[in-house]
């Protein structure tokens, strides 16, 4: 039998388990969905022995101020925005090459966003061992709604429309999922530290205030696209599930018609929307019905 | 605007955050994929203050002996097999109604398996607050292969064939995923504490030894079904990804042809198999190519 590929990070991680050494390495650590207490013990140990600690702060948002992390870790945390990670990754990799390595913190699970595969590849190119500490992400936590994970088709991302760009290309995927009898998780757009078009034209970046798509906006856009494309897949009376701040102490889940979801105040970000399959299992409905509005 | 539904567990969880009270409650806590260090701080706090601690031990397997958990927690852990959870759930719920509540530990994320929704519903029926502590599961950790999570279609479960029952019903889902251009995660069968048919006939349960489907077996079965149904979707030369013990220190990932995967020794359970989309993104391939065999 051919020997299988063993990940390069394994031996380093195993040495680290002994606690006697602080080897170099890039430690990509998921923080989960809630606050500072959602880090795993494995993650916390790596943070404490790391040479430097970075927090990726653009593909998702942390529900607590960075000071809460610093207090728990007893460490300084450097916030790494998109520019930092994409243009100054060498700073992170240099730290990773030092004893203790670099802890690179990501809200949710480390590989929700593509960018982190890039960092992983760049570390490998420099022969820096990489270890990954998994955690919860929206992609698995949605099962708390009662909808069964293995009945989810591909997820779609609903992006903000602009005056000139109104993409609808994701909608056929939702329709295909419904035809296949599976649920669709809709991830809603996040715009953080985006340079304004006007400022780019002037050659000096000025950033737009952060924007997070609400469930209300997503529902409106989906209904508009359905009419635009003549899909007849969704209508005001279609049932769907709105989830806000999932995994946080004040999470909200609501199972209601799109018309009702469009009017519901779900509070602060992040919001997501689930368009369930046309037919639901009895067990799924039993749980979902607990999330109908009490009004 | 209509007020949104707030989960009943929120207020209890928030009180618990203060650390001054040990309120009753059913705490469904994900342990993640690796060993005892993959619990979150939030989960550990709940375990420590719980009246009783149960470990669900039949939808997945723990990579360490239960004693490792007990040592870390400083608590006795009761192993709850399928019979226990389904037939004696009242024991868990009675504990949940006591101060500190019941910690119900689940490998991976709490809602990977349907059964736990039942427990959640039964707790609600008894007006016991429920809190959920999410963690990593195979459903999101697979992104470590480089395959993008939002390009996964519905997952399928490949079950052991018996002499009389050779189900193929999941295969069309895989074919539909390929037609839609998405990846398929194949979860492989686990048979733990299954009474033997012979013993059932005699009226006294005797249990079969536990069995875990290997990647080798899964590949063989998929190729056999493809031929049987005349699907022409997969062949010996199709590329796929075998992942074993994902999230554990000795995890193995291998990107190779089905013929090669069929011969690869992936070691102890759990194994999973990913049949990628027909076309891969450049970024996906870049990472996957790091997992080709070094032979």
């Amino acid at each position: 039998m051919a020997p299988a590929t063993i990940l390069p990070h394994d031996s380093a991680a195993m040495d680290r388990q002994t606690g006697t050494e602080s080897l170099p390495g890039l430690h990509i650590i998921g923080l989960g969905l809630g606050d500072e207490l959602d880090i795993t013990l494995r993650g916390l140990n790596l943070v404490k022995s790391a040479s430097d600690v970075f927090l990726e702060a653009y593909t998702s948002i942390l529900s607590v101020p960075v000071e809460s992390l610093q207090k728990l870790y007893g460490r300084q945390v450097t916030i790494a925005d998109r520019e930092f990670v994409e243009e100054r990754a060498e700073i992170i990799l240099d730290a990773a090459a030092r004893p203790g390595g670099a802890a690179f913190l990501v809200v949710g699970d480390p590989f929700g966003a593509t960018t982190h595969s890039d960092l992983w590849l760049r570390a490998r190119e420099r022969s820096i061992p990489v270890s990954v500490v998994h955690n919860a992400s929206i992609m698995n936590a949605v099962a708390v709604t009662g909808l069964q994970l293995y009945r989810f088709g591909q997820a779609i991302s609903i992006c903000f429309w602009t005056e000139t760009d109104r993409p609808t290309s994701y909608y056929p995927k939702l329709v295909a999922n419904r035809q296949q009898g599976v649920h669709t998780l809709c991830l809603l757009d996040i715009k953080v530290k985006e340079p304004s078009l006007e400022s780019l034209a002037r050659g000096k970046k000025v950033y737009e205030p952060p924007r997070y798509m609400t469930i209300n906006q997503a529902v409106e856009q989906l209904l508009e696209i359905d009419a635009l494309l003549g899909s007849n897949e969704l209508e005001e009376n279609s049932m769907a599930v709105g989830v806000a701040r999932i995994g946080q102490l004040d999470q909200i889940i609501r199972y209601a018609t799109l018309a009702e979801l469009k009017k519901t105040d779900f509070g602060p970000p992040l919001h997501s929307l689930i368009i369930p399959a046309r037919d639901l299992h009895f067990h799924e409905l039993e749980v979902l019905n607990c999330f109908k509005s009490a009004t």
Side-chain angles (χ1 to χ4, degrees), chain A:
Chain A
M1 290 198 182
T5 310
I6 305 236
L7 282 184
H9 70 255
D10 295 341
S11 56
M14 272 187 259
D15 289 343
R16 196 162 295 106
Q17 278 293 95
T18 66
T20 52
E21 291 182 82
S22 271
L23 294 177
L26 174 64
H27 314 302
I28 311 183
I29 299 168
L31 294 186
L33 298 167
D35 58 30
E36 69 275 21
L37 294 178
D38 289 301
I39 193 170
T40 65
L41 297 184
R42 180 181 314 287
L44 185 61
N45 289 345
L46 287 169
V47 166
K48 289 198 165 179
S49 61
S51 130
D52 291 272
V53 185
F54 301 91
L55 170 67
E56 182 269 288
Y58 61 96
T59 61
S60 189
I61 50 166
L62 198 63
S63 70
V64 288
V66 68
E67 288 74 21
S68 306
L69 301 186
Q70 297 188 140
K71 194 174 158 200
L72 175 70
Y73 305 159
R75 300 296 310 270
Q76 186 68 34
V77 175
T78 303
I79 293 183
D81 59 22
R82 187 185 297 273
E83 257 176 40
F84 191 103
V85 177
E86 292 179 359
E87 293 168 23
R88 284 176 287 164
E90 291 307 317
I91 294 176
I92 300 168
L93 297 175
D94 288 345
R98 289 196 284 272
F104 183 74
L105 310 177
V106 182
V107 175
D109 188 64
F111 290 106
T114 325
T115 318
H116 311 134
S117 300
D118 293 343
L119 199 61
W120 185 91
L121 282 165
R122 294 179 67 168
R124 279 180 66 100
E125 274 164 24
R126 285 181 54 173
S127 302
I128 295 169
V130 183
S131 62
V132 174
V133 180
H134 290 288
N135 209 319
S137 75
I138 176 84
M139 305 295 280
N140 65 351
V142 286
V144 77
T145 59
L147 293 171
Q148 289 164 9
L149 272 194
Y150 67 88
R151 293 194 69 211
F152 276 81
Q154 67 180 314
I156 62 174
S157 292
I158 304 188
C159 49
F160 280 118
W161 279 353
T162 66
E163 277 181 27
T164 52
D165 194 18
R166 296 160 62 91
T168 60
S169 55
Y170 52 82
Y171 200 76
K173 292 180 188 171
L174 187 155
V175 176
N177 278 346
R178 295 265 290 189
Q179 280 165 352
Q180 240 188 292
V182 294
H183 314 309
T184 307
L185 170 63
C186 309
L187 301 168
L188 309 190
D189 207 357
I190 298 177
K191 293 273 183 222
V192 184
K193 218 178 169 188
E194 298 274 328
S196 69
L197 283 178
E198 196 192 330
S199 75
L200 282 178
R202 287 187 193 162
K204 196 185 166 212
K205 282 185 191 169
V206 176
Y207 297 100
E208 304 270 10
R211 287 193 304 153
Y212 307 97
M213 188 182 282
T214 63
I215 290 165
N216 321 124
Q217 293 168 319
V219 167
E220 252 176 52
Q221 199 161 302
L222 285 182
L223 288 172
E224 200 172 334
I225 296 176
D226 192 280
L228 216 68
L229 303 182
S231 307
N232 287 321
E233 187 60 50
L234 297 180
E235 48 169 37
E236 296 266 339
N237 280 330
S238 307
M239 296 294 286
V241 189
V243 296
R245 299 174 304 287
I246 197 161
Q248 296 178 27
L249 294 175
D250 64 343
Q251 77 177 13
I252 292 177
I253 301 174
R254 192 180 185 203
Y255 177 54
T257 64
L258 288 177
E260 288 170 307
L261 293 179
K262 205 162 63 175
K263 290 181 298 183
T264 304
D265 179 5
F266 281 90
L270 295 178
H271 293 186
S272 308
L273 178 69
I274 306 166
I275 306 294
R278 291 174 192 156
D279 293 308
L280 294 174
H281 287 177
F282 169 73
H283 281 300
E284 292 180 319
L285 260 179
E286 218 179 348
V287 178
L288 275 180
N289 283 333
C290 300
F291 297 119
K292 281 190 170 168
S293 170
T295 47

